[in-house]
Amino acid sequence: MFHLRTCAAKLRPLTASQTVKTFSQNRPAAARTFGQIRSYTAPVAAEPFLSGTSSNYVEEMYYAWLENPKSVHKSWDIFFRNTNAGAPPGTAYQSPLPLSPGSLSALARAQPLVGAQPNVDKLVEDHLAVQSLIRAYQIRGHHVAQLDPLGILDADLDSSVPADIISSTDKLGFYGLDESDLDKVFHLPTTTFIGGQESALPLREIIRRLEMAYCQHIGVEFMFINDLEQCQWIRQKFETPGIMQFTNEEKRTLLARLVRSTRFEEFLQRKWSSEKRFGLEGCEVLIPALKTIIDKSSENGVDYVIMGMPHRGRLNVLANVIRKELEQIFCQFDSKLEAADEGSGDVKYHLGMYHRRINRVTDRNITLSLVANPSHLEAADPVVMGKTKAEQFYCGDTEGKKVRPRARQSRAGSQPWAH
């Protein structure tokens, strides 16, 4: 209220005598010339109704507005809102619309100048909530990924899901959001690639894309990595829209490789059902994955790929990735079949192979090596790294761009998970 009184006192019109008196007091006594007098005064913005005589009325309206903003006219409500928000003189007041058809409804829809601006605090809180939501999916989205094709864990899945993971729009209240925010557009942080070429998306679309990236049939846990560049690379490969789309030719290639992997296991199971072989049932997709990695490595100039793995799936990798002759593999199952050589005497799922062939995708020569894994070898990774270093030394590959290691969990008989 003190601001209103001060503003009214400053903008009160001066009388003619006061104007002359002020001018004579400020004029220097020695100046007796009659030269041209320049005026540097500028018009001051003023509210048309603020004066000394109306201060009491304005004060009463202000106190009434503080108690109940709806008890005063709409124009007073707008004026007091703008004044309290710090609007400069001359801009807080909005003239009422003339009385004409439709003017009353337009006046009812009128909004204050400062009120029309977005609520900065609420806007910042909502954007921080959306960023926290995105980070929650990146950190713990793998907990709600659909990794159970048989539906065995559906009965108690809700009890194992962390509370800060949102798998539906009904749990937005955890982040201070509600369903009315689903259609609001939020700017995306630099730590996500779900927008693609867009820098802002509605909250509904943000949740949909996050669930498509982290809550489908692939669970990715990577936020424990301390290297920001590596985290950004993984985010880009999983979050970019359309990144999982394949061409028809790529789909045919993946299907053919998957069929070869599945048929190989089915044949061994049907032909030698009682033989120990450590099959790859349930993880046949390992073969297309390894072959795709080898294709991409060959495209980037890699000439040597050295791999280490446990017993599980070793025969399938030897047959469909390293391309070991099927006759040699089958001879180790049946004693009646004559092997081409005497061999090392070790069991078939301990052996490795070194083979050089032409990659059909890149038409470049590439050397594939799978190191042996005897029963008492508890760690195959050091063997793989040592052989890789030796190959790099003899090839003169000081930067490690031509010879690359590929190691998997080395415990004998354990499940094959890629490092």
Side-chain angles (χ1 to χ4, degrees):
M1 197 63 231
F2 174 77
H3 173 71
L4 292 176
R5 289 181 174 179
T6 306
C7 183
K10 288 183 178 180
L11 299 179
R12 184 184 305 163
L14 299 176
T15 61
S17 60
Q18 289 176 332
T19 305
V20 173
K21 183 178 179 181
T22 303
F23 180 76
S24 62
Q25 289 177 353
N26 296 335
R27 185 177 62 183
R32 305 184 62 86
T33 59
F34 296 93
Q36 181 180 4
I37 298 177
R38 294 184 179 181
S39 177
Y40 293 97
T41 60
V44 179
E47 307 295 355
F49 55 88
L50 286 182
S51 63
T53 58
S54 63
S55 60
N56 292 332
Y57 175 72
V58 173
E59 184 176 359
E60 293 178 1
M61 298 294 293
Y62 178 71
Y63 284 126
W65 176 80
L66 287 178
E67 295 179 0
N68 184 12
K70 295 183 179 180
S71 64
V72 299
H73 192 265
K74 183 69 175 180
S75 59
W76 280 110
D77 182 28
I78 295 175
F79 171 73
F80 289 135
R81 287 179 184 273
N82 294 335
T83 303
N84 285 353
T91 60
Y93 171 70
Q94 295 183 12
S95 300
L97 297 176
L99 293 178
S100 61
S103 61
L104 296 179
S105 59
L107 180 61
R109 294 192 304 267
Q111 298 294 332
L113 294 176
V114 180
Q117 300 177 359
N119 191 330
V120 178
D121 295 338
K122 183 65 167 61
L123 188 62
V124 171
E125 291 178 0
D126 290 345
H127 275 79
L128 291 177
V130 172
Q131 293 187 18
S132 300
L133 172 64
I134 294 174
R135 184 170 178 83
Y137 272 100
Q138 294 173 345
I139 295 177
R140 315 186 75 177
H142 61 279
H143 286 287
V144 292
Q146 303 174 17
L147 305 181
D148 182 21
L150 301 179
I152 299 176
L153 300 179
D154 285 347
D156 57 349
L157 182 61
D158 293 338
S159 61
S160 62
V161 176
D164 59 338
I165 288 297
I166 296 178
S167 58
S168 65
T169 58
D170 297 335
K171 301 179 182 179
L172 292 176
F174 186 85
Y175 290 91
L177 302 170
D178 50 36
E179 293 187 1
S180 62
D181 298 322
L182 289 175
D183 295 325
K184 292 182 181 179
V185 178
F186 294 91
H187 289 279
L188 300 174
T190 57
T191 55
T192 184
F193 294 88
I194 60 175
Q197 301 298 328
E198 302 175 86
S199 60
L201 288 173
L203 179 58
R204 190 187 307 274
E205 183 65 17
I206 291 176
I207 295 177
R208 189 190 69 84
R209 296 191 182 188
L210 287 172
E211 291 185 351
M212 289 295 296
Y214 294 107
C215 301
Q216 298 301 310
H217 301 290
I218 299 178
V220 53
E221 184 179 8
F222 66 98
M223 291 297 289
F224 61 88
I225 301 176
N226 295 325
D227 193 328
L228 178 60
E229 184 179 357
Q230 295 180 6
C231 288
Q232 288 290 83
W233 186 88
I234 296 175
R235 290 192 190 104
Q236 184 180 8
K237 296 301 181 182
F238 276 87
E239 295 181 356
T240 303
I243 195 67
M244 296 295 182
Q245 300 297 326
F246 299 100
T247 63
N248 292 334
E249 184 63 27
E250 292 174 340
K251 291 179 180 180
R252 294 189 186 97
T253 302
L254 293 175
L255 178 60
R257 292 172 174 177
L258 188 61
V259 169
R260 289 176 62 91
S261 172
T262 306
R263 292 297 184 183
F264 179 81
E265 296 294 343
E266 291 178 354
F267 176 79
L268 295 183
Q269 174 63 26
R270 184 173 59 253
K271 188 70 175 178
W272 296 284
S273 58
S274 60
E275 286 286 334
K276 184 186 296 185
R277 55 186 177 86
F278 292 97
L280 198 61
E281 286 89 349
C283 196
E284 292 88 349
V285 73
L286 173 68
I287 303 304
L290 283 177
K291 294 178 73 66
T292 302
I293 293 174
I294 294 172
D295 295 340
K296 294 297 182 181
S297 301
S298 180
E299 290 179 2
N300 294 326
V302 175
D303 295 331
Y304 293 82
V305 176
I306 302 173
M307 295 179 288
M309 63 178 299
H311 301 345
R312 185 74 62 191
R314 174 175 289 265
L315 295 178
N316 207 321
V317 172
L318 286 172
N320 293 315
V321 178
I322 309 297
R323 296 295 179 87
K324 183 177 182 179
E325 295 292 337
L326 295 179
E327 291 83 353
Q328 300 180 13
I329 297 177
F330 296 156
C331 287
Q332 297 169 346
F333 279 93
D334 195 342
S335 58
K336 299 179 181 179
L337 301 177
E338 296 181 0
D341 54 359
E342 296 180 358
S344 62
D346 204 347
V347 292
K348 47 189 170 297
Y349 42 82
H350 286 177
L351 303 179
M353 186 180 179
Y354 182 93
H355 181 59
R356 184 174 180 84
R357 63 180 180 85
I358 296 179
N359 187 278
R360 296 180 180 179
V361 177
T362 60
D363 291 332
R364 297 180 70 252
N365 287 326
I366 187 168
T367 301
L368 305 177
S369 176
L370 179 62
V371 298
N373 187 17
S375 295
H376 298 286
L377 180 62
E378 293 294 332
D381 293 354
V383 178
V384 174
M385 299 306 296
K387 187 172 182 178
T388 302
K389 284 293 184 180
E391 291 284 357
Q392 291 175 349
F393 175 79
Y394 286 109
C395 295
D397 184 16
T398 58
E399 298 182 357
K401 293 184 177 181
K402 293 184 178 181
V403 182
R404 302 291 295 178
R406 289 289 180 269
R408 290 165 54 215
Q409 188 172 342
S410 56
R411 190 84 178 172
S414 59
Q415 293 294 330
W417 300 109
H419 286 339

